[in-house]
Amino acid sequence: TGTETETILPTGTETETILPTGTETETVMPTSTPTETGTETPTLNPSESESISESVSQSISESISASESASESESASESASESVSASATPSPTPSPDAACFPGDVVVETREGFIRMEDLRIGDSVRVGADQFSEVFMFTHQNAEVVTSMVRVEAGGRVLELSPTHYIPVGGVLKTAKAVRVGDLLDEVDGTAVEVNSVSLVEKRGLYNPQTMDGRIVVNGLILSTFTKTVHPMAARVLLLLPKMLYTMGLPNPFAHLFLMDNELASKLVPRGFD
């Protein structure tokens, strides 16, 4: 009688304690439940649990949004980079010495008149009043490139060609850019016609056929197949091998060396004159 007893019960244990009348009892319950690892897990009431859940959901949503924004920014940056790269890539252009004809000038073959862009190796093309000569190779044959060319008007005829292509003027070769108003050019029948206009135009295509004769009639005017890129005397010597291979019916494995924009060839051979 008069003894105070303190009883501590573990969670989940149901105990019925019978004490003598007049005994004071204090029961202390644990405030947390031990886990298997020995850490204590705090007990949350429903309202606190719901609040934390909403906070976690909001954080996850914000993280996803931030990730999507970063991804969109990266994608936009890549697109911008690709765009800059594409715009910084220059389109192909011929060398400054590219000396050729555009694709729409007219030449005459034994079968009739055709555009320069339709001329092929093996075609016989007019080179004089009663003369035709076979095309044995091209030193330029590009349908897409656009470049500045000289437009010469003489005797009612219009001729367009690259600035460094040679034209016989009074029996002497001159580059197209050196031709002046008043110069005399030769028509196909041998008639001399006076130049009355010289200007610059933009034209599509670069074609330079090489004939066995070394001349070609374009738009009714007699022209050379040579250019300033290689001195005419050197060109005649260099083209002897391709001519021989063509005559023998053999392929020309050195054709790429004779392209007018071949840097190595242009350094090794003597240049022409204006």
Side-chain angles (χ1 to χ4, degrees), residues 82-94 145-146:
E82 290 175 0
S83 177
V84 168
S85 176
S87 62
T89 303
S91 55
T93 55
V145 69
V146 176

Side-chain angles (χ1 to χ4, degrees), residues 251-266:
N252 179 10
F254 312 107
H256 66 285
L257 296 176
F258 292 90
L259 294 178
M260 293 305 180
D261 52 4
N262 183 293
E263 293 184 6
L264 177 61
S266 64

Side-chain angles (χ1 to χ4, degrees), residues 28-100:
V28 180
M29 302 293 292
T31 59
S32 60
T33 304
T35 63
E36 291 181 0
T37 58
T39 56
E40 296 184 348
T41 304
T43 305
L44 301 175
N45 61 45
S47 62
E48 291 176 335
S49 177
E50 183 178 353
S51 174
I52 290 175
S53 177
E54 290 177 354
S55 176
V56 170
S57 295
Q58 184 176 355
S59 296
I60 292 173
S61 296
E62 290 175 354
S63 296
I64 292 173
S65 296
S67 177
E68 289 177 348
S69 296
S71 178
E72 289 174 359
S73 295
E74 185 177 353
S75 178
S77 176
E78 288 177 356
S79 296
S81 257
E82 290 175 0
S83 177
V84 168
S85 176
S87 62
T89 303
S91 55
T93 55
S95 73
D97 292 328
C100 316

Side-chain angles (χ1 to χ4, degrees), residues 100-105 116 149 160-161 203-207:
C100 316
F101 302 100
D104 61 354
V105 294
M116 180 66 76
M149 295 194 174
E160 293 160 338
L161 70 174
K203 297 293 293 185
R204 182 179 296 277
L206 282 177
Y207 297 88

